[in-house]
Amino acid sequence: MPSFPHTPIGLIGFGAFGRLVAAHLAAHVTLRIHDPYVSEAGFAAAGVAPCGLAEAASCPVVILATPVSSLAEVVRAVAPHLRPGALVLDVGSVKVGPAAIMREGLPPGIDIVATHPLFGPQSARDGLRGLKIAVCPVRGGRARRVAAFLRRGLGLEVILTTPEAHDREAAAVQGLTHLIAKVLVAMEPLPTRMTTRSFDLVMQAVGMVRHDAPEVYHAIERANPYAAEVRRRFFDLAAQMDGELGEVEMAGTELCPTPS
Amino acid sequence: MPSFPHTPIGLIGFGAFGRLVAAHLAAHVTLRIHDPYVSEAGFAAAGVAPCGLAEAASCPVVILATPVSSLAEVVRAVAPHLRPGALVLDVGSVKVGPAAIMREGLPPGIDIVATHPLFGPQSARDGLRGLKIAVCPVRGGRARRVAAFLRRGLGLEVILTTPEAHDREAAAVQGLTHLIAKVLVAMEPLPTRMTTRSFDLVMQAVGMVRHDAPEVYHAIERANPYAAEVRRRFFDLAAQMDGELGEVEMAGTELCPTPS
């Protein structure tokens, strides 16, 4: 997109995140949006017109905004329509798998930049400025120009990294947040009045991810190769803490009368 | 304290929370502070002078700012020095146990109000205004006047409740926050750069409670009669989630290449 400021960008996928991308890129570029699973009414409600796969996929820059779990299928569908020298980006929550899928599935002449915007519709409610995005060069030399546009054009904080380094950190950052949120949501109703500032912050975090599409949770917890290890540590430490507190309880404390 | 605006208040205990109490009450009342475990240098550093147990305990209003685990001992020490009609308050993180200890240990002529300021030195760094405090009438009719002072004098949001209702809610609010914080601190180092807004909020919450005195954690997790039940639910749900994700992993996903 920094290289083609006046040429159209193809957006494949118009789900929650595709809509967010469209809303913020519309001021900078012309968009050609394709999503066979969104109705005409859905497009109309967002104030944009859809186009066919070939039209979107033949733009000089193509953004794949589909769930990680269907990226392989979308790459297969898009590949025949790409023009030589095009730049393809994805926006998935994990990067090792999607980078490999794009590297294997897209023709050699296509440049590839894998990205992970570290925000969603909730955290971007007040705009993009200051939010973070991870950018991983996969093929070709255009990652730095993409990063420059994201910084200057959208005000994002860009973190240039590799798919492996990204997934290691995301496994902790997103894996833990979503895990904790899932458990707390399952425990509801939780107190809303007699709360501490720290509990309010935790519940604010829960509020930001609780309405994420199930695909996001699945990508974070299952498609991230490091997520299982992070969960293992979390659950082991939790069990250890549980055991320590349990032992003390068995020993009894005089401060702990039976509730009436 | 609302009834005696010009008479001294005894503060028994000058730990982290006693100092916070002192800092905020000094503008409103004259304090008589006693803590045999704080050195003269410690008092001098805080700009206050200590006094003997009898002097502090014979004030018209006495605040017990000691760990929940030593409240019974402090009540025994203070009781003989209290003047008839005095008002005694505590500030512990649980209320069922402390209310019972004060009701049993303090002479019948003494009024008792159990309180739990839902904040600490971290969350009160920018002042008390808008922070919350739970107030439980235990004996006598002065809880509402205490509440009025806390609202008007200190700008706190007062939640009038019972020890049982308090401990039920605190078991979730504080029990979960401290449990999650303990596990996350044990997992450090955690990412600090490639983070989401929701992860930042969780870690901000962790930062607020991670330096709490161990006594606070123990009171919350062990002296609260409902804490074990909340932990049980948290751990059971976490284990269930772990199991569900584990099963999916065993089935394998093509999106999950082995990390290099």
Side-chain angles (χ1 to χ4, degrees):
Chain A
M1 41 206 137
S3 0
F4 310 92
H6 302 299
T7 48
I9 287 193
L11 176 61
I12 313 287
F14 201 58
F17 203 82
R19 279 161 222 238
L20 188 65
V21 170
H24 288 283
L25 285 187
H28 300 272
V29 298
T30 303
L31 288 170
R32 300 268 181 271
I33 309 174
H34 176 73
D35 188 329
Y37 298 98
V38 173
S39 69
E40 282 190 28
F43 278 102
V48 298
C51 70
L53 173 63
E55 193 184 346
S58 59
C59 290
V61 177
V62 178
I63 300 173
L64 309 178
T66 56
V68 171
S69 55
S70 57
L71 185 67
E73 182 189 329
V74 170
V75 162
R76 271 193 298 274
V78 160
H81 304 288
L82 294 169
R83 62 166 74 179
L87 168 64
V88 173
L89 305 100
D90 81 321
V91 295
S93 302
V94 296
K95 296 273 63 79
V96 170
I101 288 168
M102 291 190 289
R103 200 185 293 110
E104 286 156 26
L106 297 175
I110 304 297
D111 285 353
I112 305 168
V113 175
T115 82
H116 175 200
L118 291 154
F119 52 84
Q122 286 301 311
S123 40
R125 230 172 14 187
D126 302 325
L128 297 186
R129 199 147 295 274
L131 294 175
K132 299 175 180 179
I133 185 167
V135 171
C136 308
V138 175
R139 189 200 285 155
R142 289 201 265 173
R144 290 191 177 274
R145 295 177 78 175
V146 168
F149 169 76
L150 296 169
R151 273 195 203 99
R152 286 173 217 156
L154 301 181
L156 292 168
E157 181 184 333
V158 174
I159 299 165
L160 272 173
T161 182
T162 65
E164 289 72 23
H166 167 276
D167 281 8
R168 271 193 200 282
E169 301 215 1
V173 167
Q174 298 196 285
L176 291 173
T177 309
H178 279 76
L179 200 64
I180 289 168
K182 275 262 168 189
V183 176
L184 293 185
V185 166
M187 291 186 79
E188 288 180 328
L190 288 166
T192 53
R193 187 166 173 236
M194 213 198 66
T195 59
T196 56
R197 179 90 185 95
S198 47
F199 184 76
D200 291 342
L201 289 171
V202 170
M203 292 312 293
Q204 206 181 322
V206 170
M208 285 186 155
V209 302
R210 66 184 302 153
H211 300 299
D212 277 359
E215 293 80 10
V216 175
Y217 178 69
H218 291 158
I220 288 165
E221 295 293 354
R222 304 197 320 215
N224 186 320
Y226 307 101
E229 182 187 323
V230 168
R231 282 201 304 277
R232 190 71 283 128
R233 285 191 62 211
F234 182 86
F235 289 127
D236 285 352
L237 285 164
Q240 190 184 318
M241 231 142 270
D242 190 27
E244 285 166 12
L245 288 163
E247 275 163 34
V248 174
E249 263 148 35
M250 294 291 282
T253 96
E254 60 172 19
L255 281 168
C256 208
T258 310
S260 55
Chain B
M1 42 205 141
S3 359
F4 309 93
H6 302 299
T7 47
I9 288 192
L11 176 61
I12 314 287
F14 201 59
F17 204 82
R19 278 162 223 238
L20 188 65
V21 170
H24 288 283
L25 286 187
H28 301 271
V29 299
T30 303
L31 288 169
R32 301 269 181 269
I33 308 174
H34 176 74
D35 189 330
Y37 299 97
V38 172
S39 68
E40 283 190 27
F43 279 102
V48 298
C51 70
L53 174 61
E55 194 183 346
S58 59
C59 290
V61 178
V62 178
I63 299 172
L64 309 178
T66 56
V68 171
S69 56
S70 57
L71 185 67
E73 182 189 328
V74 170
V75 162
R76 272 194 297 275
V78 160
H81 305 288
L82 294 169
R83 62 166 74 180
L87 169 64
V88 173
L89 305 100
D90 82 321
V91 295
S93 301
V94 296
K95 296 274 61 81
V96 170
I101 288 168
M102 290 190 289
R103 201 186 292 111
E104 286 156 27
L106 298 175
I110 304 297
D111 285 353
I112 304 167
V113 175
T115 82
H116 176 199
L118 291 154
F119 52 85
Q122 286 301 311
S123 40
R125 229 173 13 187
D126 301 325
L128 298 186
R129 198 146 296 272
L131 295 175
K132 299 176 180 180
I133 185 166
V135 172
C136 308
V138 175
R139 190 199 285 155
R142 288 200 266 174
R144 290 191 176 274
R145 296 177 77 176
V146 168
F149 169 77
L150 296 170
R151 273 195 203 98
R152 287 173 216 156
L154 302 182
L156 292 168
E157 180 184 334
V158 175
I159 299 165
L160 272 173
T161 183
T162 64
E164 289 72 21
H166 168 276
D167 281 9
R168 270 193 202 282
E169 300 216 2
V173 167
Q174 298 195 285
L176 290 173
T177 309
H178 280 77
L179 199 65
I180 290 168
K182 275 263 169 188
V183 176
L184 293 185
V185 167
M187 291 186 79
E188 287 180 331
L190 289 166
T192 53
R193 189 168 172 232
M194 214 198 65
T195 59
T196 57
R197 179 89 185 97
S198 48
F199 184 76
D200 291 342
L201 289 171
V202 170
M203 293 312 292
Q204 206 180 323
V206 170
M208 284 186 153
V209 302
R210 66 185 301 155
H211 300 300
D212 278 358
E215 293 81 10
V216 175
Y217 178 69
H218 291 157
I220 288 166
E221 296 292 355
R222 305 200 315 219
N224 186 319
Y226 307 101
E229 183 188 323
V230 168
R231 280 201 304 279
R232 189 75 281 127
R233 284 191 63 213
F234 182 86
F235 288 126
D236 285 352
L237 285 164
Q240 189 183 319
M241 230 142 271
D242 191 26
E244 284 165 13
L245 288 163
E247 274 163 34
V248 174
E249 261 147 36
M250 293 293 282
T253 96
E254 59 172 21
L255 279 168
C256 207
T258 310
S260 57

